[in-house]
């Protein structure tokens, strides 16, 4: 962005406000010195540099935040899926074998108990 400085012989407040409302960055009334003009041009150019640097830095920080959130969400998704896969593995592979073992043991104990009662009656 190039700063616009109006140079005018009209010294009234109304003229100055009108020029600034029209989009000028500054309004300099005649007579003015070359030193004052150069100082204003320099300060406006410095402001342009600072604004563009701030905009660049903001864009960089926004990118870093988006990258962080993307990586965090991927980590959470992976963690969530891993946790649920472990639960599924336990439900379908570990628990059924334990249940089967439990049922077998109970049947054996029940059969032994039945055998015991049968032996008692003989």
């Amino acid at each position: 962005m190039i700063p616009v400085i109006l140079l005018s012989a009209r010294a009234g407040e109304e003229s100055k406000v009108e020029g600034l409302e029209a989009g000028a960055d500054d309004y300099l009334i005649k007579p003015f010195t070359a030193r004052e003009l150069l100082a204003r041009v320099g300060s406006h150019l410095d402001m342009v540099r600072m604004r563009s640097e701030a905009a660049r830095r903001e864009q960089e920080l926004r990118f870093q935040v988006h990258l962080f959130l993307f990586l965090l969400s991927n980590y959470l998704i992976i963690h969530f899926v891993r946790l649920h896969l472990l639960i599924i593995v336990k439900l379908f592979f570990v628990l059924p074998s334990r249940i089967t073992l439990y049922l077998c043991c109970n049947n054996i104990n029940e059969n032994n108990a039945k055998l015991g009662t049968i032996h008692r009656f003989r």
Side-chain angles (χ1 to χ4, degrees), residues 1-3 25 38-58:
M1 179 179 123
I2 298 173
D25 296 301
L38 289 174
R40 288 184 186 230
V41 168
S43 68
H44 284 287
L45 291 176
D46 288 343
M47 289 298 292
V48 167
R49 273 189 231 108
M50 284 190 277
R51 284 187 190 119
S52 66
E53 176 60 27
R56 186 196 64 76
R57 182 69 179 135
E58 179 188 10

Side-chain angles (χ1 to χ4, degrees), residues 12-24:
E13 180 184 347
E14 191 172 311
S15 299
K16 194 174 191 177
V17 170
E18 186 180 324
L20 294 171
E21 284 177 347

